[in-house]
Amino acid sequence: MQVGIWIAIIFSAVLSFLLGNYFNQPLHWYLFILLILIGFFINTIILILKANDD
């Protein structure tokens, strides 16, 4: 995987936490980890689907 994808996934998780904090939503550490894992999972699925097309 490229470094840009890692940065984008972590940045989107941080951004979602900042937005949740701004709107006074309950935030827990495991939600942050879950957001990152889901991002990597979705990215892996996209890479698998792209590999089938090539």
Side-chain angles (χ1 to χ4, degrees), residues 2-3 6 9 12 17-19 23-24 27-28 30-34 38-40 42 44 47 49-50 52 54:
Q2 299 173 348
V3 176
W6 289 67
I9 290 172
S12 65
F17 253 56
L18 291 175
L19 283 172
F23 289 109
N24 299 320
L27 302 172
H28 300 285
Y30 58 85
L31 293 175
F32 184 73
I33 294 172
L34 187 64
I38 289 172
F40 286 126
I42 291 172
T44 303
L47 287 175
L49 292 174
K50 279 186 179 180
N52 288 341
D54 293 337

Side-chain angles (χ1 to χ4, degrees), residues 4 9-10 15 19 21-25 30 32-33 35-36 41 43 45-46 48-50:
I9 290 172
I10 293 173
L15 183 63
L19 283 172
N21 191 28
Y22 178 75
F23 289 109
N24 299 320
Q25 297 297 313
Y30 58 85
F32 184 73
I33 294 172
L35 283 168
I36 292 174
F41 179 70
N43 186 39
I45 291 173
I46 290 171
I48 291 170
L49 292 174
K50 279 186 179 180

